[in-house]
Amino acid sequence: MSVETTTQTKPKLATPPNYKVVLLNDDYTPMDFVLYILKRFFRKSDAEANQIMLEAHQKGVSIAGIYPFEEAETKYHQVLREAKKEGHPLRVTLEPE
Ligand code: TYC
């Protein structure tokens, strides 16, 4: 009689990835508006907001923040809604970390 043994391994649940909210540069959105967005929705200090805004301005993209999906999605919509309300073409994207 043979005895079968199995090795029990604890199933590893993949942890959901966080998402980067990526700020994209454009030629029309005022720098002050980008700073306002970073401070209001991403809770950045003046210095942090300046750094993030300038990086997007100079390099084309910059990370506004990294959050669990639903939070990232909320911020994405908040930014687009505010930009639309003020008539600015500011764009952001979501990227898995
Ligand atoms: N490039 C814009 C300007 O010169 C400022 C800007 C910075 C816009 C960062 C978008 O994500 C951005 N007014």
Side-chain angles (χ1 to χ4, degrees), residues 23-31 34 53 56-57 90-91:
L23 191 60
L24 304 178
N25 188 36
D26 67 74
D27 291 339
Y28 304 103
T29 303
M31 289 184 175
V34 180
M53 184 278 292
H57 177 67
L90 184 64
R91 284 171 308 146

Side-chain angles (χ1 to χ4, degrees), residues 16-67:
N18 283 329
Y19 282 77
K20 297 184 274 197
V21 182
V22 180
L23 191 60
L24 304 178
N25 188 36
D26 67 74
D27 291 339
Y28 304 103
T29 303
M31 289 184 175
D32 278 353
F33 180 77
V34 180
L35 295 177
Y36 156 77
I37 288 288
L38 289 166
K39 288 187 275 187
R40 170 156 181 204
F41 297 121
F42 298 89
R43 316 307 312 171
K44 301 300 179 188
S45 66
D46 286 346
E48 288 170 325
N50 251 296
Q51 247 178 12
I52 295 167
M53 184 278 292
L54 281 179
E55 184 170 325
H57 177 67
Q58 289 162 0
K59 299 187 183 166
V61 292
S62 180
I63 297 171
I66 302 177
Y67 309 91

